[in-house]
């Protein structure tokens, strides 16, 4: 039997090991972003839809530039 990983299954697996503190920082940051009002979002150049999309990202999906 041949197993072919779907792109969806690969998306849900972390590609690297992250520290718990990094995961929590990403989660907190996204929760704060989700809670910003329209004026604050405008100040940083994001739409409400973009803020919601960022908040829905998996907690292990952090930019590669973050130190972990």
């Amino acid at each position: 039997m041949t197993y072919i990983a779907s792109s969806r299954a690969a998306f849900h697996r972390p590609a690297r090991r992250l520290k718990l503190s990094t995961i929590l920082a990403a989660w907190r940051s996204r929760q704060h972003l989700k809670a910003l009002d329209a004026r604050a979002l405008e100040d940083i150049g994001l739409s409400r839809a973009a803020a919601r999309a960022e908040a829905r990202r998996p907690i292990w999906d952090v930019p590669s530039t973050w130190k972990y």
Side-chain angles (χ1 to χ4, degrees):
M1 182 166 139
T2 303
Y3 176 75
I4 299 174
S6 71
S7 60
R8 182 180 178 133
F11 176 76
H12 291 288
R13 262 182 282 146
R16 59 186 189 244
R17 291 190 149 208
L18 297 172
K19 291 181 183 178
L20 181 58
S21 60
T22 302
I23 291 171
L24 290 174
W27 179 81
R28 276 192 301 272
S29 174
R30 290 174 179 153
Q31 294 305 304
H32 290 295
L33 181 65
K34 185 170 68 172
L36 291 177
D37 63 8
R39 184 175 176 150
L41 288 171
E42 184 180 336
D43 284 346
I44 62 174
L46 284 179
S47 66
R48 174 66 58 199
R52 280 192 206 120
E54 180 65 25
R56 284 192 303 260
R57 288 174 61 185
I59 58 175
W60 61 80
D61 186 12
V62 296
S64 59
T65 56
W66 281 30
K67 297 195 185 251
Y68 47 89

